[in-house]
Amino acid sequence: RTLNGQAANPTWTPLFDTVQIQANGITALGTLAIGVIAIAPSDPDVVYIGTGEQLTGYFGSGLYRLDNATQANPTLVGPINPNADYAGFVTSTFTFRAISQILVHPTAPGTIFVSTASGGGGITTHNGTNPPLVFPPLGLLGLYRSTNATAAADAVTFAKLAITDASIVNNDISDMVLDPSDATANTLILW
């Protein structure tokens, strides 16, 4: 992050390097692969970071949040990676997945939509490492919503949202946008 980005020689401070050394086990794999960053429109001090890169990139270890992003001492919160229960099989929602997009509600910084996609590991063309192919430990791909994303990392909850086509239960989402004609920010367009 830089606070003097318009200077001839801006100064940069690394904020994400510590995720490589987390000791929480599988729910905090630690990765520097970042697929998406989203700033809360109503509060630029809240920034969400989605780990993992879709398809040809590296899988992630969850969602992170930067609090006090524009202040002298920002705080990195995460990983935000709550457990999900799939008919009695409990696993982390985002582990081994790539977060492909994060949308923040225009007026509520704690309401976010997160889409997930498949990710790999290593240089996939030469010596790739694929995540386990079973549920669990993989969470289902798709669209998730949190209404308390500004809470402490272990208190944030997500609901997996159904997509219009009920047959789509576990599918990559490449991108999504909020419908600009919906002032309530309850309509998403995704593909």
Side-chain angles (χ1 to χ4, degrees):
R1 179 195 69 160
T2 182
L3 294 175
N4 64 342
Q6 294 180 333
N9 295 306
T11 54
W12 292 90
T13 303
L15 300 176
F16 209 68
D17 289 355
T18 58
V19 301
Q20 288 289 63
I21 55 172
Q22 295 202 27
N24 302 36
I26 198 167
T27 60
L29 296 171
T31 180
L32 294 179
I34 295 174
V36 64
I37 296 173
I39 300 170
S42 62
D43 186 354
D45 270 335
V46 178
V47 176
Y48 295 98
I49 302 117
T51 63
E53 296 167 333
Q54 186 177 6
L55 299 177
T56 60
Y58 202 80
F59 50 75
S61 59
L63 177 73
Y64 289 79
R65 187 183 70 238
L66 190 60
D67 290 341
N68 303 313
T70 65
Q71 307 304 312
N73 296 307
T75 303
L76 185 64
V77 177
I80 300 170
N81 195 5
N83 284 336
D85 187 339
Y86 301 107
F89 296 100
V90 178
T91 189
S92 299
T93 303
F94 303 123
T95 299
F96 295 122
R97 293 302 191 191
I99 295 176
S100 56
Q101 187 61 270
I102 302 168
L103 299 177
V104 185
H105 190 283
T107 60
T111 298
I112 64 172
F113 300 90
V114 176
S115 62
T116 59
S118 298
I123 301 173
T124 56
T125 58
H126 293 84
N127 190 20
T129 302
N130 291 320
L133 297 176
V134 295
F135 303 98
L138 287 177
L140 288 177
L141 294 166
L143 178 62
Y144 293 85
R145 177 184 60 209
S146 175
T147 57
N148 69 337
T150 53
D154 60 353
V156 175
T157 57
F158 280 89
K160 186 169 187 315
L161 300 181
I163 297 173
T164 303
D165 183 346
S167 68
I168 301 175
V169 176
N170 184 40
N171 211 351
D172 287 303
I173 295 178
S174 297
D175 203 356
M176 62 181 178
V177 295
L178 287 168
D179 182 348
S181 67
D182 181 356
T184 65
N186 282 320
T187 304
L188 294 172
I189 301 165
L190 54 88
W191 51 95

